[in-house]
Amino acid sequence: MSKINTDAGMPIAITLDPGTYYRCSCGQSQNLPFCDGSHSAAEHMPIEFKITARQKVYLCSCGKTGKAPYCDGTCGVKM
Ligand code: FES
């Protein structure tokens, strides 16, 4: 996953309803952690993910995860 917000270093815990979501990866969105279309044609495109049942998820905010858009603990946070 590309760099999002290295100042954060913590996953974003959020409960989502079923649907398709787009995680911002450029950091320019005014609707973080979701994409609002602010990205240019740059290298950082939004990451699409689907939720099939209402659930709490942990979205990576450090940009180091290997399981984007989800935190995989690379940041050091144990879940
Ligand atoms: S916030 Fe990025 S791996 Fe946990």
Side-chain angles (χ1 to χ4, degrees):
M1 187 167 85
S2 47
K3 180 178 173 184
I4 293 176
N5 181 359
T6 55
D7 294 335
M10 294 281 292
I12 300 165
I14 188 169
T15 300
L16 298 174
D17 289 318
T20 300
Y21 295 88
Y22 297 89
R23 171 69 166 108
C24 171
S25 67
C26 74
Q28 296 177 27
S29 175
Q30 298 300 306
N31 188 35
L32 291 172
F34 304 107
C35 174
D36 69 355
S38 294
H39 58 272
S40 62
E43 59 199 74
H44 302 292
M45 296 299 289
I47 302 162
E48 179 182 330
F49 65 102
K50 297 181 188 310
I51 299 294
T52 57
R54 182 176 173 79
Q55 63 184 287
K56 187 174 187 178
V57 298
Y58 297 88
L59 300 176
C60 173
S61 66
C62 77
K64 298 175 184 170
T65 185
K67 294 173 52 181
Y70 305 105
C71 174
D72 68 356
T74 301
C75 58
V77 172
K78 297 187 189 292
M79 293 179 284

